[in-house]
Amino acid sequence: MRTQPESGGLARSGLTATASVLGGRAEFSSNHGTPPRPPSVTAPGYPRPLLEAVPPDAVRDPRMIPEPAGASVLALDHITSGGSAGEKDNERFGYPSCMGKQEAHGASSGAEDRGGGGVSLREFAADLRAGLSKPGQRELPSKYFYDEVGSALFEAISVLPEYGLTRADERIVRAHADEIVGRVPSPAIVAELGSGSGRKPRWVLGSLGRREPTVYYPIDISPAALARCEWELSRVPSVRIIGMLNPYLEGLQEVASRRKDGQRILVLFLGSTIGNFDRPVGEQFLGQVRSVLLPGDALLLGTDLEKPIPQMLAAYDDPIGVTAAFNINLLARINRQLGGDFDLRRWRHAVLWEERQRRIEMHLVSQERQTVRIPRAGLEVFFRKDETIWTENSHKYTPELVATMAQRAGFRCEAQWIDEEWPFAESLLIAVSPDSAR
Ligand code: AVJ
């Protein structure tokens, strides 16, 4: 059930076009026609050698030292292996050491119970029980993709030629960082929902740091992602980093409680992560973000746009199988952390375009009848041949729909930028006071 956009006519080419959307004035620009950027940024494969991402002081974390060829699979397995090893993981890759000199929030809360992804193993087990014991379609929450292996696989996905999403997101943020920051009054602090690798916020923070000293709060339930992000951004001048090992809204509430008088908050919610939520839930989530903010605060929202179906399918089913590995790793994680006995060779990655909901779905298909035991979740599950576990939704949007959702959630759409090469929208949303909302 899609809401019809209230206005069409979005400028998709040219430098900057002004269009009237939803009664307000919104500026649409695309980075097509902007001054030439280094060719590296537009190249289909991400140009930066992957090794460059490894900190020179990798010694701080032994896992960042490359294993000899052939041993890497074993090493990874060992490193992320579960059991009560959730603790070990946490201690080794958790915030205290990896946040380095930076302050870390949440370091003392519930660390004993945290598994390899910074999520409590009890919660993981409970979510598994809920999702796998469903009588009809079984499912698993996509947030569990991002353990250490999964985060690394996602990094690999983001450099695949078939998956242009991450590069488009970064291109827009990079090309328009000054303009984005310029639309958020001074002084401002930045909170990011999902820290990712830290590449995208770098441009915004660089721009903001040149304007005033600021604080950047990456919020993520993955210690691996937080650590990576902290590393990536530690050299941005005038920016202090405080990692928040929290679910998004809890982290954001904590950031809001630390806000000083007169400070604006710029929330970054990039990468089309909102697309993982069902549409109504996504909109509700925007409303919850809004309720933590004050009028005048800003939300920069990245959303992947609809494109030809074969292109969308290829983006989630790349021929070398990185996305398949990303999907199947969810089962591997269950094995590692909860003692499951999923036979990974009996599962196949599958992708479909769901026409009515306008989303890509990822599933794991049981290739034969089988029973799986997951002792630490107290589960024994039977799967029929061809039965699937539904692991992810990636909803696709139109620019007009984003503006409509934002408005219903208590924001006005101040500006939108669309990438030409890979249709993707960055929307700058400003929190409005409830009475001026309509
Ligand atoms: C990071 C959630 C936006 O849905 O496109 C990539 C994750 N899944 N390939 C997406 C993902 C499969 C991605 N998000």
Side-chain angles (χ1 to χ4, degrees), residues 34-85:
T34 49
R37 291 177 302 277
S40 55
V41 184
T42 48
Y46 198 79
R48 213 152 51 90
L50 282 175
L51 272 179
E52 206 184 299
V54 178
D57 52 341
V59 149
R60 266 200 324 186
D61 188 314
R63 275 171 297 182
M64 288 186 175
I65 300 174
E67 292 289 332
S72 55
V73 174
L74 259 179
L76 284 177
D77 195 49
H78 166 69
I79 286 154
T80 50
S81 73
S84 43

Side-chain angles (χ1 to χ4, degrees), residues 145-146 154 157 163 165 271-273 275-276 304 315-316 323 326 362 392-394 396:
F145 280 134
Y146 303 91
F154 179 70
I157 288 172
Y163 189 83
L165 190 156
S272 204
T273 303
N276 287 166
D304 199 22
Y316 292 86
T323 310
F326 175 72
M362 293 206 313
E392 188 178 59
N393 288 327
S394 292
K396 304 304 167 190

